[in-house]
Amino acid sequence: MRIAEIENEIVEEFELFCDDWEGKYEHLIDLGKHLPLIDKQNKTDDRLIKGCQSKVWLHSELKDEKIVFTADSDAIITKGIVALLIRVISDHTGDEILNAQFEFINKIGLIEHLSPTRSNGLVSMIKQMKLDVVLLKSKA
């Protein structure tokens, strides 16, 4: 499935909650419960994303010319946010990921409903994911 199609699925899911942000937060928390978790051996300080209020560990690897992400966080909302990002871009090529615009974030109104520190963390997660892609592409 293409990145744009996955983003559209997410927008449709969040539209089910209309303007009920309590329901949207519950959905985010539920998504976090299904996050592809990082292996314990990869849950190291060098994999912590800088700029996040809570701890977020991110691992990326190249599998069959596609990049696969796993992660974990010590905060339930943050875990849901990183789960959304992984759902959108994991298992795509490096070029597809680097060209991803993450338009669903604005379409579901996520930024305006996060605290400033969580919004900064979201931006930091996206930057780190794209940086990981560049690093993996340079090694390939």
Side-chain angles (χ1 to χ4, degrees), residues 122-139:
L122 171 61
V123 171
S124 295
M125 287 182 232
I126 293 170
K127 284 182 182 175
Q128 187 61 55
M129 291 172 133
K130 289 194 173 194
L131 178 61
D132 282 10
V133 170
V134 170
L135 293 172
L136 286 170
K137 282 182 67 161
S138 71
K139 293 178 184 178

Side-chain angles (χ1 to χ4, degrees), residues 106-124:
N106 289 327
K107 289 181 180 176
I108 66 174
L110 186 58
I111 290 284
E112 65 236 30
H113 288 90
L114 293 176
S115 67
T117 52
R118 281 225 169 90
S119 293
N120 290 338
L122 171 61
V123 171
S124 295

